[in-house]
Amino acid sequence: MTNVRYDRLFPFEWYSFMQENHPVFFHPKQKKWHVFKYHDVKRVLSDHTNFVQAVRSEEKATSPIETSLIGLNPPNHRQMRQLVSKVFTPKSIEDLKPRIRAIAKELLDNVIEKGEMDIVKDFAYPLPVIVIAEMLGIPKEDRDMFKKWSDDIVASAELGAFDFNNEKTSLRQKAKNITNQLHIIQKFRKAEKELGNYFKQIFNERRENPSDDLISMLIQAEVDGRKLTEFELLGFCSLLLVAGNETTTNLIGNALFSFHYFPEVPTHLRKHPEDIKKAIEEVLRYRSMVRSLERIAANDVEINGHLIRKGQLVHVWLGSANQDPDVFHKPDKLNIHRNNLQHVAFGHGIHFCLGAPLARLEVEIALEEMFTHFSDIQLIPNVEYQLNALDGIENLPISFSKA
């Protein structure tokens, strides 16, 4: 299709090419539409009449997470979201600040004498895992299991990965891809089973001895006069586990990686920490921590001159939308002083990420504490970076001096 290759680590040139030449593109092998421009992406995400989630009933669902918020349409989505929104009120998020800061300080104190660390493995991953585990009421000794289960569940997103670079794939490569996909499926099923059994045990304990944690609240809650089924409880908790740590981990890693290429940004933030909030929004726009989302056309509908038929899959590229030059001036530049920061990194419409305020707060505190603890932060050279299924950087070794 094009000589411009899709580079997951640096996709900006490819985004630009697709926006200019194929803003709405049907991939015949994948049998999916791909949408790249900002306003088209927002339209798909906000029009929940014509573009819906692939909803399955509890009886037909193959995974509890399919019955959680991420897999619901109105009116069920509204009812469930109102329930969980009680936990994510501005006051409840604000009340977490002292604990989040204490966790961040402890993690950085553990490495400050070493002069180097892997910012993802040593800091960006454990920080949100500890926070969400404490919110759910999970014992400290079980956090590592939680992270592994989360990683294996998120890895299943790779099953929908796209290869725009090679239209002709060798038989050997096809076989390798199939083997890899089977391995991912096996890990996903194992993780989901183990996580489900673990949560069921916690549910039984909380029914006998309710606490002030999130799981106890969900067990006692009612939606339209009924309690949540155990399958719905599993879906909620699984979603909170995955979304509660992967987005924050990716965002912290993306911020430090981006600062390396725009060193004037951290220099400015050290002198003007009040601009950290703006910097976070610009990092969200510049290097979106979730690559894309998928919907199904509920009706025949036209987008940008293309007729999408009822039942066809529609893949919206959040990363590309946030790099649209018709909306963001010089989008390939990390400019924390730009006026327009209306990105779609957290989605848009009724499925806008419920945990966005918590993720923003965690990253704000993380950057504040890093700038307080460290000076002269540098990426260690000649590193081969690994990306997770959501395009978050999995390894980011840095060196630093003690501030």
Side-chain angles (χ1 to χ4, degrees), residues 201-400:
Q201 181 180 344
I202 298 292
F203 296 160
N204 291 333
E205 292 174 359
R206 294 299 186 276
R207 289 188 182 103
E208 292 293 327
N209 299 294
S211 182
D212 59 353
D213 56 52
L214 179 52
I215 288 179
S216 296
M217 186 279 286
L218 290 172
I219 289 173
Q220 298 168 31
E222 294 186 358
V223 177
D224 289 344
R226 71 171 181 86
K227 300 278 189 179
L228 297 179
T229 68
E230 188 159 280
F231 203 76
E232 288 171 331
L233 285 169
L234 286 173
F236 259 126
C237 293
S238 299
L239 176 63
L240 289 169
L241 167 63
V242 173
N245 75 76
E246 296 292 341
T247 51
T248 300
T249 298
N250 290 354
L251 181 50
I252 294 173
N254 286 354
L256 269 293
F257 188 75
S258 301
F259 291 168
H260 173 76
Y261 295 94
F262 298 91
E264 69 279 4
V265 173
T267 298
H268 173 85
L269 295 179
R270 288 183 181 279
K271 297 177 181 177
H272 302 280
E274 68 275 10
D275 286 339
I276 286 179
K277 284 187 174 70
K278 288 197 304 182
I280 292 171
E281 297 308 307
E282 176 63 351
V283 169
L284 283 162
R285 183 206 64 81
Y286 174 73
R287 184 174 282 277
S288 303
M289 73 278 181
V290 176
R291 168 184 59 224
S292 52
L293 297 172
E294 198 162 84
R295 297 290 186 267
I296 296 176
N299 305 288
D300 289 355
V301 60
E302 185 177 297
I303 294 185
N304 206 340
H306 295 267
L307 179 61
I308 298 175
R309 295 292 186 181
K310 179 180 179 180
Q312 289 186 316
L313 293 174
V314 182
H315 206 85
V316 292
W317 288 79
L318 306 181
S320 176
N322 289 334
Q323 289 282 326
D324 190 337
D326 293 338
V327 179
F328 304 102
H329 180 62
K330 295 183 178 180
D332 59 340
K333 306 298 181 184
L334 188 74
N335 176 14
I336 67 172
H337 302 296
R338 68 172 70 244
N339 294 322
N340 178 15
L341 289 173
Q342 300 302 306
H343 57 77
V344 290
F346 283 117
H348 184 70
I350 63 171
H351 286 282
F352 182 84
C353 178
L354 185 66
L358 176 58
R360 285 178 165 119
L361 177 62
E362 288 175 330
V363 179
E364 179 186 358
I365 291 173
L367 292 179
E368 288 175 351
E369 291 302 321
M370 285 195 69
F371 291 146
T372 299
H373 281 71
F374 304 151
S375 64
D376 191 29
I377 299 173
Q378 301 289 336
L379 298 189
I380 292 178
N382 303 318
V383 170
E384 183 177 345
Y385 297 106
Q386 304 297 320
L387 298 175
N388 62 30
L390 301 180
D391 279 2
I393 299 171
E394 290 190 326
N395 57 317
L396 196 63
I398 65 168
S399 62
F400 54 84

Side-chain angles (χ1 to χ4, degrees), residues 119-170:
I119 198 66
V120 174
K121 293 175 178 155
D122 296 331
F123 185 60
Y125 129 60
L127 174 63
V129 168
I130 294 171
V131 172
I132 197 65
E134 290 185 355
M135 290 178 68
L136 289 167
I138 301 304
K140 180 178 180 180
E141 58 270 18
D142 295 341
R143 291 172 191 162
D144 287 343
M145 286 194 307
F146 252 53
K147 177 59 179 173
K148 185 180 184 306
W149 288 330
S150 176
D151 288 345
D152 288 346
I153 290 171
V154 168
S156 65
E158 292 184 10
L159 298 175
F162 311 106
D163 187 1
F164 286 94
N165 298 325
N166 299 304
E167 291 299 309
K168 295 181 180 179
T169 304
S170 67

